[in-house]
Amino acid sequence: MPVTSVDRDLDRLTLTITAEFPVPVRRLWDEYVDPRQLEKFWGPPTWPATFTRHDVFPGGRSDYYMTGPDGSRACGYWEYLSVDECRSFEVLDGFSHDDGRPNTDLPTREAMGQIEAVVTDDATFAADTGTQSQLLDERTVRVTRILHGTPRQVWDAHHEPELLNRWFHGPDGWALVGCRVASAPGETTRFEWAPDDGVEGEAFALTGQLLETDPPHREVFTETMEGVDAPPTRNEQTLTAVEGGTLLTLVITYDSADLRETILGTGMVDGMEAGYRRLEAEVLTSP
């Protein structure tokens, strides 16, 4: 990392590290707000980080763990006190237990990692890379996609029935025939799809319950296929402004590794990409 100065103020108990990078401010900012990129440098080379939650907005929170060579974990969290897009963010940075609870036996801290190799990578995390999935552990997968719109536009497209009817209708030849959206924790959702005339297949529905919501940044909800004897998934969806649009991050936790593999094996990620392309074409780029 091209550090130009390290200043210590023993009276104020502060450490100020100054570094320069040959990239625009937007590019450097995105490296911190995109968990896929942050994981590339946050932590020593032998202790890579995995972010299971990353909500970069005032009042938001990030949870992560670093895995050592022997498989041991060191967990940490950030609580966002303030966020000024492309300028600064202030966090309470501390250690945590495995379940995410702050570990008050250890002090809060500041950290800065090696980021030069990531910040100069213009291809891996570009806006046109499509929908990507990454396994975080045996039961959890993270799906990401940069959508060409603002977080508010993307949020509305996921919550307004009129907009959902324009893009959220499944594979070609299918239609969204039922749409119940939740707006407050405890409310339930139900989305039903049916094939058009001449298209093979039977109608099906996904149901769930809204657990947490913080528009237009984050929501947590459960989801399961109606009539199927399978435990619901826990979905955490975050919308973050980045260069080129909005980074949609969906962390899905399954009841078991087998269930995760079964659902991913249906072509779920490809189906999501088709839907997101339709969202951009039919909603986000419309007048």
Side-chain angles (χ1 to χ4, degrees), residues 97-154:
H97 296 284
D98 289 344
D99 61 3
R101 292 180 297 110
N103 187 344
T104 56
D105 294 332
L106 296 173
T108 55
R109 69 193 184 279
E110 292 182 324
M112 194 169 188
Q114 298 289 332
I115 65 177
E116 186 174 13
V118 183
V119 82
T120 55
D121 181 355
D122 294 327
T124 304
F125 306 103
D128 60 354
T129 53
T131 303
Q132 301 177 353
S133 64
Q134 177 184 354
L135 302 182
L136 300 185
D137 59 40
E138 65 176 12
R139 297 192 301 118
T140 308
V141 61
R142 181 171 64 209
V143 180
T144 54
R145 175 62 147 85
I146 295 179
L147 296 164
H148 300 301
T150 66
R152 171 54 68 180
Q153 289 173 327
V154 176

Side-chain angles (χ1 to χ4, degrees), residues 223-254:
E223 188 174 73
T224 189
M225 182 171 290
E226 190 173 76
V228 175
D229 185 19
T233 61
R234 176 184 171 90
N235 300 352
E236 302 181 44
Q237 183 163 284
T238 303
L239 304 178
T240 306
V242 297
E243 183 174 13
T246 294
L247 174 65
L248 182 150
T249 303
L250 179 62
V251 178
I252 308 172
T253 302
Y254 298 90

Side-chain angles (χ1 to χ4, degrees), residues 157-181 190-196 203-206 278:
H158 281 80
H159 293 85
E160 295 185 8
E162 187 276 329
L163 297 178
L164 282 164
N165 282 324
R166 291 162 60 181
W167 74 275
F168 198 50
H169 52 73
D172 291 340
W174 288 68
L176 181 65
V177 297
C179 180
R180 183 172 70 236
V181 181
R190 186 178 187 274
F191 301 98
E192 182 180 357
W193 294 267
D196 295 335
F204 69 95
L206 294 177
R278 191 181 302 119

Side-chain angles (χ1 to χ4, degrees), residues 24-64:
V25 172
R26 173 87 255 180
R27 179 67 188 89
L28 185 60
W29 177 265
D30 287 354
E31 187 165 328
Y32 276 92
V33 301
D34 183 344
R36 302 170 301 170
Q37 300 185 54
L38 188 57
E39 289 171 344
K40 298 292 185 181
F41 68 87
W42 194 257
T46 58
W47 284 78
T50 299
F51 278 75
T52 57
R53 175 176 176 178
H54 194 48
D55 307 332
V56 188
F57 58 87
R61 179 186 173 97
S62 294
D63 291 314
Y64 68 93

